[in-house]
C-alpha cells in the first residue's frame, strides 16, 4: 500500500498500467483490492480510466477537480455527477451550460438519465432545459429560468 501512495504522490493521477507497475501485479483483482484499502476517486472523464486520492485532488466549490483534461468529481461517475448538478440547479441546465461545466460532450449521458427518469427535459426558447425529475422541483427550475430570462 505504501508503494501505491508513493506512486500517487509522484504522479498525482494514475491509470491501470501505472497502478500495475506501482503494485507489481498485473491482476486487476489485486489492484482493486489495493485500491479498496485506500480512499480514491476515479475520473468521470475518459470512462473512469484514471485514479487519484483525496490528498492530491483539490476540488473546487462545485466538487470538480481537473488534472489537465482529466476530470474528477466528488460525486463519482459522470452519470451521478450530471444528475446531481441538474437536480440542484436553481434554474435547470441547458446542454451547452452542462458541457461548459463538465468540459466534455454529455449528450449520451443526458439520454441515459432521461430514459431512467433521473432527470426531466423541457423545451424553452428553442433549447432543451434539463431539470429535476420531481415535477414540483422541475417546475420551480423552469419558472426561475423564465424569470431570469425576462429580466434580461
Amino acid at each position: 500500500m505504501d508503494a501505491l501512495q508513493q506512486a500517487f504522490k509522484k504522479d498525482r493521477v494514475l491509470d491501470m498500467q501505472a497502478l500495475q507497475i506501482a503494485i507489481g501485479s498485473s491482476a486487476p483483482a489485486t489492484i482493486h483490492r489495493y485500491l479498496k484499502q485506500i480512499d480514491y476517486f476515479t475520473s468521470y472523464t475518459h470512462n473512469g480510466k484514471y485514479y487519484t486520492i483525496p490528498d492530491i485532488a483539490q476540488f473546487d466549490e462545485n466538487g470538480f477537480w481537473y488534472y489537465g483534461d482529466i476530470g474528477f468529481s466528488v460525486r463519482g461517475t459522470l452519470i451521478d455527477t450530471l444528475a446531481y448538478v441538474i437536480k440542484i440547479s436553481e434554474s435547470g441546465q441547458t446542454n451547452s451550460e452542462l458541457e461548459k461545466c463538465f468540459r466534455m460532450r454529455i449528450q449520451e449521458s443526458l439520454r441515459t438519465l432521461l430514459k431512467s427518469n433521473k432527470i426531466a427535459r423541457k423545451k424553452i426558447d428553442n433549447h432543451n432545459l434539463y431539470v429535476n425529475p420531481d415535477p414540483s422541483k422541475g417546475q420551480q427550475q423552469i419558472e426561475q429560468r423564465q424569470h431570469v430570462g425576462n429580466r434580461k
Side-chain angles (χ1 to χ4, degrees), residues 40-129:
Y40 70 96
F41 294 99
T42 57
S43 61
Y44 75 81
T45 61
H46 302 84
N47 294 319
K49 176 181 175 180
Y50 295 99
Y51 302 82
T52 195
I53 56 176
D55 293 352
I56 304 288
Q58 297 173 359
F59 292 102
D60 64 18
E61 67 277 359
N62 297 313
F64 292 98
W65 178 66
Y66 294 93
Y67 185 77
D69 68 339
I70 304 167
F72 293 87
S73 167
V74 296
R75 304 275 178 262
T77 66
L78 174 60
I79 293 288
D80 291 343
T81 304
L82 192 53
Y84 175 81
V85 167
I86 291 167
K87 287 177 183 177
I88 66 152
S89 172
E90 190 173 301
S91 57
Q93 296 280 313
T94 64
N95 185 64
S96 61
E97 290 167 343
L98 290 164
E99 286 186 353
K100 183 178 178 185
C101 175
F102 282 81
R103 301 182 185 182
M104 63 182 292
R105 293 184 49 84
I106 43 82
Q107 194 61 41
E108 284 303 315
S109 297
L110 288 171
R111 282 192 196 104
T112 299
L113 288 167
L114 285 166
K115 284 180 186 176
S116 61
N117 297 316
K118 292 184 178 177
I119 62 170
R121 176 177 58 198
K122 174 78 172 171
K123 190 85 149 176
I124 295 182
D125 298 329
N126 294 323
H127 294 288
N128 285 322
L129 184 66

